[in-house]
Amino acid sequence: MTTVLQPPLPSHPVLRLRLAPHGNLPRAIDGAWWPRSYDLPAELPGLLAGLPRKWGHITSATVNGATWSTMPGQILVANQVVRLRRTQGESTPHTIVLLSPGRGRWDLLVVPPDTTEQAAEPLMAAATGGHV
């Protein structure tokens, strides 16, 4: 009998996130995030784990209600409660707003999950001013 060893699959998929460099002027968009689905309770823990520590504890995430699937009002991420909010406005269908008390607000462009890599790259680069 021959045993074929398969390489282990990564336990966590690679986070597809790019952040704009921090500057003195406020930005309309602070970076870009390319989730794998519109299931926010499943996707948000990975996003929050990949954010810079200086952003502090994110207590609230707001997304467009027409774009994202049904979600609870809050979830527990790393033993911290994060409120999930939905907007009904058409003005920001592809963003997520993250709030951290005393630290700030960050708006990320959300690249739709079904976007091809070829199409996602320029979107993420534009949101970050070309920075990786």
Side-chain angles (χ1 to χ4, degrees), residues 81-116:
V81 174
V82 179
R83 289 188 183 151
L84 305 180
R85 299 181 180 180
R86 299 166 73 95
T87 63
Q88 299 306 319
E90 295 284 327
S91 62
T92 56
H94 297 292
T95 60
I96 183 169
V97 178
L98 304 172
L99 297 176
S100 175
R103 298 285 179 109
R105 167 188 168 149
W106 294 273
D107 293 39
L108 300 177
L109 170 75
V110 176
V111 176
D114 58 353
T115 304
T116 65

Side-chain angles (χ1 to χ4, degrees), residues 2-7:
T2 305
T3 302
V4 177
L5 297 176
Q6 298 289 332

Side-chain angles (χ1 to χ4, degrees), residues 6-78:
Q6 298 289 332
L9 295 173
S11 59
H12 302 286
V14 173
L15 179 62
R16 301 183 297 189
L17 173 69
R18 284 198 196 166
L19 300 176
H22 181 68
N24 294 335
L25 299 175
R27 296 178 53 93
I29 294 291
D30 299 294
W33 175 45
W34 183 19
R36 288 174 168 71
S37 73
Y38 280 117
D39 181 355
L40 193 59
E43 297 288 343
L44 191 60
L47 171 63
L48 298 184
L51 295 176
R53 287 175 124 12
K54 67 181 177 178
W55 285 23
H57 168 62
I58 301 297
T59 59
S60 174
T62 303
V63 296
N64 183 286
T67 306
W68 292 82
S69 61
T70 304
M71 60 190 171
Q74 62 187 24
I75 61 172
L76 193 62
V77 177

